[in-house]
Amino acid sequence: MFGYDSNVRHEFDWVAFLAGVVSVLLSIFLFRNPGKGLKGLVVIFAVVSIMQGIVWLSMYAGFHRIFGPSWTTLISGIFDLVVGIFFLANNQLGALTISYLVAIWFIVDSVIGIVFAWHLRFFETGWYFFFNLLLNILGLVLGVMLLFQPEVAGLSTIWLIAVYMMVFGINEIVLAFMHR
């Protein structure tokens, strides 16, 4: 029906298998060393910020000739560069900043969810309104708790990444065997 021939024999997918094994091993490392994982996340964030700053500044140089000065592009580039360099120089402050950003993200997302849930009551969704409202209130409480415990926010971020890496890795390993 979809052009798939069940008689065709596929080879073992070594790339998926290796990606899966590396992901599972990285996940185990993150579970055992969440502090190092958070430091690594800060370094990755810093490098990406520096690269983004360079891109903004090069765009500023290119657009300057076409459209005239674009101060927002220039300021964004400088800001990204400064943040990236600052995070590389002070890894602990970078980790603390990421932890606060995660807590603020929880709070903002939950407040938006509460506002959305409040609108659901007009659409006769029954129990879903109360369920959605309850989950968003719990998310708001969790966000406020993370705001006052930034180390928990940072470590839980690493644990979530580790869980994702484990699920992704197992999926890739299974996929590698399914290709044969």
Side-chain angles (χ1 to χ4, degrees):
M1 179 176 170
F2 292 107
Y4 179 76
D5 187 3
S6 61
N7 295 327
V8 175
R9 186 159 164 83
H10 299 280
E11 293 186 25
F12 184 77
D13 192 344
W14 283 102
V15 174
F17 181 75
L18 291 174
V21 169
V22 168
S23 293
V24 167
L25 292 174
L26 181 60
S27 172
I28 292 168
F29 174 80
L30 290 175
F31 277 124
R32 297 182 90 195
N33 304 294
K36 289 181 181 178
L38 187 56
K39 288 180 182 178
L41 183 63
V42 171
V43 169
I44 291 170
F45 184 83
V47 169
V48 169
S49 184
I50 290 170
M51 290 175 17
Q52 182 64 40
I54 292 169
V55 168
W56 280 121
L57 292 177
S58 67
M59 286 175 55
Y60 172 77
F63 287 147
H64 183 71
R65 284 181 254 142
I66 299 170
F67 299 114
S70 171
W71 297 109
T72 55
T73 308
L74 179 64
I75 291 169
S76 294
I78 292 170
F79 179 76
D80 282 341
L81 279 174
V82 168
V83 166
I85 292 168
F86 192 68
F87 277 16
L88 282 179
N90 192 340
N91 201 276
Q92 289 178 333
L93 187 61
L96 190 63
T97 302
I98 288 174
S99 299
Y100 279 122
L101 287 175
V102 167
I104 292 168
W105 172 38
F106 266 68
I107 292 168
V108 169
D109 191 59
S110 296
V111 168
I112 291 170
I114 289 169
V115 170
F116 175 74
W118 198 250
H119 291 291
L120 287 176
R121 66 190 164 102
F122 298 115
F123 296 104
E124 297 182 24
T125 57
W127 61 271
Y128 182 69
F129 161 71
F130 294 106
F131 181 70
N132 191 297
L133 185 64
L134 177 67
L135 286 179
N136 283 297
I137 290 171
L138 288 173
L140 180 62
V141 169
L142 182 63
V144 170
M145 289 171 54
L146 290 175
L147 195 61
F148 290 108
Q149 296 287 326
E151 57 277 344
V152 174
L155 293 179
S156 60
T157 301
I158 297 304
W159 290 329
L160 286 172
I161 292 170
V163 167
Y164 175 79
M165 296 298 293
M166 181 65 74
V167 170
F168 174 79
I170 291 170
N171 186 48
E172 288 297 305
I173 291 170
V174 170
L175 184 65
F177 284 99
M178 287 183 64
H179 282 171
R180 7 182 256 144

